[in-house]
Amino acid sequence: MSYSLGILDQSPIIEDATNEQTLQKTVTLAQKAEQLGYTRFWVSEHHNTDTLAGSSPEVLVSYLLAKTKSINIGSGGVMLQHYSPYKVAENFHVLASLEPGRVDLGIGKAPGGLPLSTKALQYGMLNIGEDFEERLIFLQQLIDQTVPSEHELYGIQATPIPKVKPALFLLGASPQSAALAGKLGIAFVFARFINSDNDVLAQAATAYRTHHPNGHFAVSIAALAAPTKEEAKELIGDQKITKVHLASGRSLTLQSVELAEKFGQESGETFTVKQYDADILYGTPEDIKTILDDYHVRYQIDEFILHTPILKEFERERSFELLSPVYLHLQQKEAVS
């Protein structure tokens, strides 16, 4: 297999589990991902929600690093508009010093919640996070220790300086984000589970490779495997993606119509809410591998990070098992013999 596989876990609260149980399930899944041969395991950042328990990826990452041995652990991602790049660099330098070579720093541009939580996160700040590109550049300079002499903070270091830097990724769902990552020379992850338009994916791949031909281009993709294609289709059901479209031109993906309407109301803008069919890859492991193989060639994808948005614990975990490098390798060996 000429591409690697990772997992994105948003710590969904499944089957009336408590927050404590949900976070422990994330720990268990990370340990299982390590055994199953996945390259990396990422956790997300969502605020003020009772459906996901992952609100602080940097804290969860530290715990997962302590509970695993070899798999890369990272944020998918830290929402940089809310935070000081300097503090983010310090946090991940500490993590990278504790577990050299295993720490991924994925950076996201989205708010990770509704306007009320954004207001709370930015409470008391002079800057309200509208300078994302500038923040990302400064974060990269801190990690690379290349803050230029003309910068007002020249001479600053985000200590402790680790022997192995955390790997920096930009997460996005547009050609513009891909181009930014390419220009900065950092890895890019296209969030196909948010924007499933393959034309946009193709544009993002081209934009990234134009600026960074040998860079790491990954895609986070919604996928569900089951023993039969019929069962996989039934498990997916009629899942929808809900988006709120604001008068300012911004569009955001929310988990329900209610949350999308609430976001619109809290934004203070005129808005519309629309639902779209969720584009989730489904089928047997062989079905999905065939599609991933095709995407790998067509869009020059180096890695797929799997997101499985179903609220059934056994079936969700089984899907990760069926799509794992270990399982697929066993299948290939059996086919040869």
Side-chain angles (χ1 to χ4, degrees):
M1 186 165 57
S2 51
Y3 51 83
S4 56
L5 293 173
I7 290 176
L8 169 65
D9 182 32
Q10 297 181 335
S11 301
I13 298 172
I14 297 175
E15 298 168 357
D16 297 322
T18 65
N19 292 323
E20 292 80 5
Q21 290 169 335
T22 296
L23 290 172
Q24 285 303 320
K25 287 175 183 176
T26 288
V27 175
T28 300
L29 184 59
Q31 293 168 332
K32 189 148 196 171
E34 183 171 71
Q35 297 166 2
L36 291 170
Y38 284 98
T39 302
R40 68 185 85 250
F41 185 90
W42 282 5
V43 293
S44 61
E45 177 179 333
H46 293 91
H47 301 288
N48 195 28
T49 172
D50 57 6
T51 60
L52 303 170
S55 60
S56 181
E58 60 272 32
V59 173
L60 189 49
V61 164
S62 67
Y63 193 79
L64 293 173
L65 286 166
K67 294 292 184 177
T68 53
K69 296 177 181 178
S70 58
I71 191 170
N72 274 41
I73 302 291
S75 56
V78 169
M79 299 305 158
L80 191 59
Q81 66 168 285
H82 305 311
Y83 310 117
S84 155
Y86 182 63
K87 188 58 184 174
V88 172
E90 282 187 329
N91 285 341
F92 279 81
H93 276 182
V94 168
L95 295 172
S97 297
L98 289 167
E99 290 288 344
R102 292 184 57 209
V103 178
D104 296 337
L105 172 50
I107 294 296
K109 190 177 181 180
L114 304 188
L116 185 63
S117 61
T118 293
K119 186 176 180 180
L121 286 161
Q122 298 174 359
Y123 185 72
M125 291 171 56
L126 295 176
N127 190 322
I128 58 172
E130 295 178 349
D131 54 348
F132 178 82
E133 185 171 338
E134 182 182 335
R135 287 176 183 234
L136 180 60
I137 291 170
F138 184 43
L139 175 63
Q140 183 185 25
Q141 291 168 345
L142 288 166
I143 290 173
D144 292 342
Q145 298 184 71
T146 57
V147 178
S149 57
E150 63 271 18
H151 197 286
E152 62 180 314
L153 294 174
Y154 175 68
I156 192 68
Q157 288 190 311
T159 55
I161 304 299
K163 290 182 179 178
V164 181
K165 297 182 294 186
L168 185 60
F169 298 75
L170 176 61
L171 320 180
S174 71
Q176 292 76 22
S177 293
L180 174 59
K183 289 174 185 176
L184 296 181
I186 61 179
F188 181 69
V189 184
F190 183 88
R192 191 185 181 278
F193 70 94
I194 292 175
N195 187 344
S196 59
D197 187 331
N198 282 346
D199 288 338
V200 177
L201 170 57
Q203 293 166 23
T206 299
Y208 184 72
R209 295 295 181 198
T210 298
H211 296 287
H212 196 17
N214 298 317
H216 188 82
F217 183 74
V219 172
S220 186
I221 196 163
L224 174 71
T228 67
K229 189 167 187 175
E230 292 73 23
E231 183 183 353
K233 184 176 182 180
E234 185 177 340
L235 286 168
I236 288 173
D238 60 349
Q239 285 201 46
K240 303 287 185 182
I241 290 178
T242 305
K243 291 182 179 286
V244 57
H245 301 280
L246 303 177
S248 59
R250 287 195 304 157
S251 293
L252 295 99
T253 301
L254 283 301
Q255 294 160 265
S256 68
V257 170
E258 292 76 21
L259 282 176
E261 290 178 345
K262 191 174 181 183
F263 190 106
Q265 291 162 3
E266 290 182 8
S267 73
E269 298 183 36
T270 303
F271 67 93
T272 58
V273 172
K274 293 185 178 180
Q275 282 197 308
Y276 306 86
D277 290 334
D279 189 352
I280 301 173
L281 303 187
Y282 69 88
T284 65
E286 294 75 22
D287 293 333
I288 293 175
K289 184 179 184 301
T290 297
I291 297 171
L292 297 184
D293 289 348
D294 176 59
Y295 279 23
H296 161 68
V297 173
R298 197 188 314 176
Y299 306 114
Q300 300 179 59
I301 296 169
D302 299 304
E303 178 178 15
F304 294 96
I305 300 176
L306 304 178
H307 170 54
T308 302
I310 63 164
L311 298 180
K312 291 181 179 290
E313 184 178 353
F314 171 79
E315 290 82 355
R316 182 171 178 264
E317 187 173 312
R318 182 184 63 183
S319 177
F320 288 130
E321 291 176 2
L322 292 174
L323 293 175
S324 70
V326 165
Y327 179 86
L328 293 175
H329 180 66
L330 286 174
Q331 293 297 102
Q332 289 171 352
K333 285 184 66 176
E334 290 177 4
V336 171
S337 60

